[in-house]
Amino acid sequence: MLNSVLSNAVTIAGSLMERDALRMTPARIPVVGFKIRHESLQMELDVERNVTCEMSALAIGPLAQQITAMPMGVEMLLQGFLAARSARHQNPVLHVTKFELLEARNNVEGTK
């Protein structure tokens, strides 16, 4: 059986395409919702497949403030876990626990 912490671990690269305004929780913790666009080539049954998708994400605390400062289009590698958007809306949202800028791609596109 997989460790319960590892069974919901997500790593995905993407570009920042939308971002909500930074807000504060009642406990004064910063929170920001955003959306990334992912594009890659993946192998599936020995066939190369173009993969594109958009994913909703949420950052809390210092990560929220850092995401808020990022320019649109910046390429990032995100790590976190999936959770339902809310009790009423069960669509998954990536809760980001760590991210890094993908410098090489950002330098090529001039968004450093």
Side-chain angles (χ1 to χ4, degrees), residues 58-95:
L58 186 72
I60 300 174
L63 292 177
Q65 295 168 317
Q66 293 169 7
I67 295 289
T68 300
M70 296 295 148
M72 289 297 150
V74 68
E75 297 279 338
M76 298 183 282
L77 181 66
L78 305 170
Q79 294 179 358
F81 61 91
L82 296 177
R85 180 173 301 283
S86 67
R88 293 182 61 196
H89 302 282
Q90 293 295 304
N91 293 343
V93 174
L94 175 62
H95 285 245

Side-chain angles (χ1 to χ4, degrees), residues 38-85:
H38 169 83
E39 297 179 17
S40 65
L41 286 174
Q42 300 294 323
M43 293 299 291
E44 186 174 37
L45 295 174
D46 295 325
V47 176
E48 205 171 69
R49 176 178 178 191
N50 283 317
V51 175
T52 61
C53 66
E54 295 176 3
M55 179 173 280
S56 295
L58 186 72
I60 300 174
L63 292 177
Q65 295 168 317
Q66 293 169 7
I67 295 289
T68 300
M70 296 295 148
M72 289 297 150
V74 68
E75 297 279 338
M76 298 183 282
L77 181 66
L78 305 170
Q79 294 179 358
F81 61 91
L82 296 177
R85 180 173 301 283

Side-chain angles (χ1 to χ4, degrees), residues 6-65:
L6 297 178
S7 63
N8 185 1
V10 176
T11 300
I12 190 167
S15 59
L16 182 61
M17 60 178 291
E18 290 179 20
R19 181 179 50 231
D20 299 335
L22 183 70
R23 63 182 178 83
M24 296 290 182
T25 68
R28 305 293 303 155
I29 299 170
V31 178
V32 68
F34 60 102
K35 190 177 282 189
I36 64 161
R37 178 168 178 78
H38 169 83
E39 297 179 17
S40 65
L41 286 174
Q42 300 294 323
M43 293 299 291
E44 186 174 37
L45 295 174
D46 295 325
V47 176
E48 205 171 69
R49 176 178 178 191
N50 283 317
V51 175
T52 61
C53 66
E54 295 176 3
M55 179 173 280
S56 295
L58 186 72
I60 300 174
L63 292 177
Q65 295 168 317

